[in-house]
Amino acid sequence: MTTMESLIGLVNRIQRACTVLGDYGGDDNAFSSLWEALPSVAVVGGQSSGKSSVLESIVGRDFLPRGSGIVTRRPLVLQLHKTEDGSQEYAEFLHLPKQRFTDFSVVRKEIQDETDRVTGKTKQISPVPIHLSIYSPNVVNLTLIDLPGLTKVAVDGQPESIVRDIEAMVHSYVAKPNCLILAISPANQDIATSDAIKLCREVDPTGERTFGVLTKLDLMDKGTNALDVLEGRSYRLQHPWVGIVNRSQADINKNVDMIVARRKEREYFATSPDYGHLASKMGSEYLAKLLSKNLESVIRARIPSITSTINNSIDELESELDHLGRPIAVDAGAQLYTILELCRAFDRIFKEHLDGGRPGGDRIYGVFDNQLPAALRKLPFDRHLSLQNVKRVVSEADGYQPHLIAPEQGYRRLIDSALNYFRGPAEASVDAVHFVLKELVRKSIAETQELRRFPSLQAELAGAANQALERFREGSKKTAIRLVDMESSYLTVDFFRRLPQEVDNGGNPASSTVDRYTEMHFRRIGSNVSSYVGMVSETLKSSIPKAVVHCQVREAKHSLLNHFYTQIGKKEGKQLSQLLDEDPALMERRQQCAKRLELYKAARDEVDSVSWAR
């Protein structure tokens, strides 16, 4: 195989692979970029300009639907693959994989049927292409895109927008800088009215990408010829015009073989008094070779950009596969190892949140620095130690015997009931930290890239982590309440020992017991209790956070998944497989990435081999 055939064959294979993966015209930017970088040849012409005959002459087979009006109603991406001499010709459709068609009349019918499947049996058009590959020793490696014929008016059964729709569709192909344009014009019409040339003038004003083809030369009026066009005097292009003599309707009706038709075409030009001097550069065979040669030249110029696109796409796909993860092993041991690795990845992120590597852990400090002190300040000690309440509690504590020196039982009751108020803030601190930890678990699971593949494991892990946090909360709440109860169970002795001295220093120790029931006396009791409660409040402000951190945060950091690990170790292979039951969308995405990566790497190797052979 020559270098030219290798280059064009390579482009054909990459284009077909792009299409197989469903990326032609799709949302995948990488594959869209690659398709844009691959040169092709678009066939453009007005209705009944002879487009179908030109294509069939290049292929050497009758395979396209024929008729009046719009026959081509969907783009036909035609890839020609040259095979060894003597090998059998066959065709393959992308929508019918692994089916070979050796009867080209069946190919024609399938094109018609596939068109109808999308557009219905109407005269509507569709931009969804049909992909057809033909393998034959009688073709050159080439990619041709047959587009609907340009028209000027809508006929019955067509929407009024049909003219604009066709023009927009054709324009979307020929406007691409890597697209060569095969502009078909009939010789028996004035070239100035050619729809194909008009469109080419808009998208390729210099004519660098346009190849002019003049059909129906044998149907011109006697005494006239198309030399002004063929020799570039009427409309000059960068490439020479090529004349084509299509089969007559009689030959088509008689099913004259295309190989015979090619021979007749060569004889026509060789014996023509008008075109004999151009015979070597006329005809469908010459056109195919001309297109192939120029396509090869364009491919050569685009190889660096193609290589760059492929390499960038390989890097992106490998990075995506790393995020999606590799396929899971089937044996239980490997699955258990995978689950433990995923748990460790989650645990690492969870600890980063707690330790400050990621945001969120600071909210726990906010509970201790803001919420707990604020809750303590809001406790209703003013109401509890009001003069009226102090009188009531002290009097009830004395019973029938008034106190002599200090109302110890009154003090104890006031302090004990006041300390009970600390239970609320203690429990609230535990619950607030529990809420933060649950939120960090949720965030950590969401941020663990490796876990995204396994929704079942995510749910199981979240459930196990939250169960552990509930156990830690219960333990933390018991400890925090115990701290409050400890303060109630044993009052600081030094506090009471100072009270008589304060009384003596404040007045006459020989005052009557009646004086001890004055308003000032009860205010002093309330003030003393308030001082003691304030001291306890400062103590709990420090001890409650320590208890919460020790019982909740520290336990969550070091043993959040310990119980889960124990349970996982007892599961059987089937249960482990259920935990690693991936999201079908992710599985499909990974398979697509793997296929694309395989394609790109193969394409890179082929491009490199062809590049070195140049």
Side-chain angles (χ1 to χ4, degrees):
M1 183 179 291
T2 66
T3 304
M4 179 178 72
E5 290 170 336
S6 298
L7 283 170
I8 298 176
L10 166 66
V11 171
N12 278 358
R13 289 192 295 276
I14 297 177
Q15 285 175 329
R16 183 166 179 80
C18 286
T19 312
V20 167
L21 294 174
D23 291 293
Y24 175 61
D27 296 328
D28 191 306
N29 292 332
F31 266 77
S32 296
S33 298
L34 178 57
W35 183 274
E36 294 284 343
L38 298 175
S40 58
V41 181
V43 185
V44 181
Q47 287 185 25
S48 304
S49 61
K51 285 193 306 93
S52 297
S53 296
V54 171
L55 285 173
E56 289 182 332
S57 296
I58 291 174
V59 174
R61 281 287 187 172
D62 284 318
F63 69 98
L64 293 173
R66 292 182 176 274
S68 59
I70 296 181
V71 178
T72 303
R73 291 182 284 121
R74 290 174 58 184
L76 175 66
V77 179
L78 176 62
Q79 291 186 321
L80 305 181
H81 305 264
K82 184 173 179 59
T83 58
E84 295 181 0
D85 291 340
S87 59
Q88 186 181 29
E89 295 177 284
Y90 65 92
E92 288 181 347
F93 287 95
L94 184 64
H95 63 273
L96 297 173
K98 298 181 181 180
Q99 289 191 35
R100 290 190 175 185
F101 294 80
T102 55
D103 185 343
F104 282 82
S105 64
V106 179
V107 172
R108 180 191 301 116
K109 183 177 185 304
E110 181 57 34
I111 292 174
Q112 184 65 56
D113 292 344
E114 177 62 16
T115 299
D116 292 343
R117 274 191 282 271
V118 173
T119 64
K121 293 183 180 295
T122 65
K123 294 181 180 180
Q124 302 282 348
I125 64 168
S126 169
V128 181
I130 298 172
H131 296 271
L132 173 64
S133 292
I134 294 180
Y135 300 81
S136 169
N138 303 316
V139 299
V140 294
N141 285 309
L142 197 59
T143 296
L144 297 163
I145 304 175
D146 185 23
L147 298 167
L150 298 165
T151 186
K152 292 184 174 61
V153 294
V155 298
D156 290 342
Q158 294 177 342
E160 289 298 323
S161 63
I162 189 72
V163 177
R164 295 192 305 273
D165 294 343
I166 293 176
E167 186 170 340
M169 183 195 302
V170 174
H171 192 278
S172 68
Y173 281 88
V174 299
K176 297 173 183 176
N178 291 329
C179 179
L180 303 182
I181 309 170
L182 192 60
I184 311 293
S185 301
N188 55 0
Q189 293 181 12
D190 189 344
I191 196 67
T193 64
S194 170
D195 296 316
I197 294 300
K198 176 178 177 293
L199 182 62
C200 291
R201 190 179 296 171
E202 295 175 5
V203 298
D204 182 33
T206 62
E208 294 179 0
R209 298 187 288 119
T210 302
F211 292 81
V213 177
L214 213 56
T215 62
K216 305 183 180 182
L217 290 170
D218 56 329
L219 301 182
M220 295 184 70
D221 293 338
K222 288 184 178 182
T224 62
N225 59 53
L227 285 176
D228 284 347
V229 176
L230 294 175
E231 293 178 347
R233 291 189 293 273
S234 293
Y235 187 79
R236 179 174 294 278
L237 298 171
Q238 297 287 340
H239 306 285
W241 283 80
V242 179
I244 297 289
V245 174
N246 300 327
R247 288 182 301 166
S248 65
Q249 188 60 48
D251 288 341
I252 295 173
N253 294 338
K254 294 176 182 177
N255 293 320
V256 172
D257 185 83
M258 292 298 300
I259 303 302
V260 174
R262 283 181 179 179
R263 187 179 69 247
K264 287 185 175 183
E265 184 183 45
R266 288 195 299 271
E267 292 174 354
Y268 173 86
F269 285 111
T271 60
S272 171
D274 293 323
Y275 311 118
H277 64 294
L278 299 174
S280 62
K281 296 183 178 180
M282 295 288 118
S284 56
E285 290 179 292
Y286 173 77
L287 175 62
K289 292 176 182 178
L290 177 67
L291 290 174
S292 187
K293 179 181 178 181
N294 280 273
L295 185 59
E296 184 260 350
S297 177
V298 174
I299 293 171
R300 282 183 184 275
R302 298 290 186 269
I303 278 182
S305 64
I306 293 173
T307 302
S308 176
T309 300
I310 290 174
N311 287 333
N312 290 339
S313 299
I314 287 175
D315 292 340
E316 292 175 4
L317 286 170
E318 287 183 334
S319 176
E320 184 172 0
L321 275 177
D322 288 338
H323 283 301
L324 293 175
R326 305 294 171 173
I328 301 301
V330 294
D331 62 287
Q335 290 176 343
L336 178 59
Y337 176 81
T338 299
I339 291 174
L340 294 178
E341 283 294 302
L342 294 170
C343 291
R344 279 190 279 270
F346 154 76
D347 197 44
R348 182 176 62 253
I349 292 176
F350 180 69
K351 289 177 180 176
E352 288 176 1
H353 278 293
L354 290 178
D355 293 335
R358 295 172 185 255
D362 55 311
R363 292 172 58 195
I364 294 176
Y365 176 73
V367 172
F368 304 144
D369 194 49
N370 298 313
Q371 294 183 25
L372 177 59
L376 293 175
R377 286 194 298 270
K378 292 179 180 178
L379 292 177
F381 292 131
D382 289 344
R383 185 178 71 248
H384 181 69
L385 297 177
S386 64
L387 181 63
Q388 181 179 3
N389 195 56
V390 170
K391 282 183 179 180
R392 182 183 63 78
V393 172
V394 171
S395 299
E396 290 177 355
D398 280 350
Y400 73 93
Q401 177 64 60
H403 62 271
L404 300 177
I405 298 177
E408 180 176 335
Q409 290 301 321
Y411 271 110
R412 287 186 177 277
R413 290 191 180 186
L414 283 170
I415 292 172
D416 188 61
S417 54
L419 295 185
N420 275 331
Y421 285 117
F422 287 115
R423 286 173 169 263
E427 292 181 342
S429 297
V430 171
D431 291 338
V433 171
H434 176 76
F435 177 81
V436 173
L437 292 174
K438 281 187 67 175
E439 181 64 17
L440 293 183
V441 165
R442 186 194 64 77
K443 289 183 65 175
S444 299
I445 289 176
E447 293 172 9
T448 306
Q449 294 284 346
E450 301 90 334
L451 273 174
R452 293 184 179 181
R453 301 165 54 186
F454 310 108
S456 297
L457 181 58
Q458 287 184 48
E460 192 83 8
L461 191 58
N466 288 331
Q467 286 178 6
L469 292 180
E470 285 291 345
R471 293 196 301 272
F472 302 153
R473 174 165 71 168
E474 291 304 315
S476 180
K477 191 168 289 188
K478 288 179 181 178
T479 301
I481 296 302
R482 189 174 288 119
L483 287 174
V484 175
D485 292 343
M486 287 166 57
E487 295 291 343
S488 301
S489 300
Y490 186 79
L491 305 184
T492 304
V493 178
D494 290 344
F495 174 79
F496 290 102
R497 287 175 178 171
R498 287 196 301 270
L499 290 183
Q501 297 175 7
E502 292 172 359
V503 172
D504 290 343
N505 292 335
N508 183 0
S511 298
S512 67
T513 58
V514 177
D515 293 335
R516 298 188 181 278
Y517 288 91
T518 64
E519 183 175 307
M520 181 64 68
H521 175 65
F522 288 114
R523 289 188 184 281
R524 184 178 297 115
I525 293 174
S527 175
N528 291 334
V529 172
S530 177
S531 297
Y532 185 82
V533 170
M535 179 187 69
V536 172
S537 178
E538 290 299 317
T539 301
L540 292 178
K541 193 186 297 183
S542 300
S543 59
I544 288 175
K546 292 180 179 180
V548 171
V549 168
H550 180 79
C551 297
Q552 281 179 276
V553 180
R554 181 175 173 276
E555 285 298 307
K557 183 176 178 180
H558 294 295
S559 58
L560 180 65
L561 298 179
N562 283 1
H563 184 69
F564 181 66
Y565 290 147
T566 302
Q567 298 300 314
I568 283 291
K570 298 177 183 179
K571 290 185 181 293
E572 299 178 354
K574 184 177 180 180
Q575 294 171 310
L576 295 175
S577 297
Q578 291 173 346
L579 287 179
L580 296 176
D581 184 17
E582 292 186 84
D583 183 344
L586 283 177
M587 292 177 65
E588 183 180 356
R589 182 63 182 170
R590 186 194 301 110
Q591 291 173 353
Q592 290 177 349
C593 285
K595 287 180 180 179
R596 293 171 183 176
L597 186 59
E598 182 182 356
L599 158 72
Y600 275 124
K601 288 183 175 179
R604 180 179 61 186
D605 293 342
E606 291 198 59
V607 171
D608 288 344
S609 65
V610 172
S611 298
W612 281 105
R614 286 191 292 170

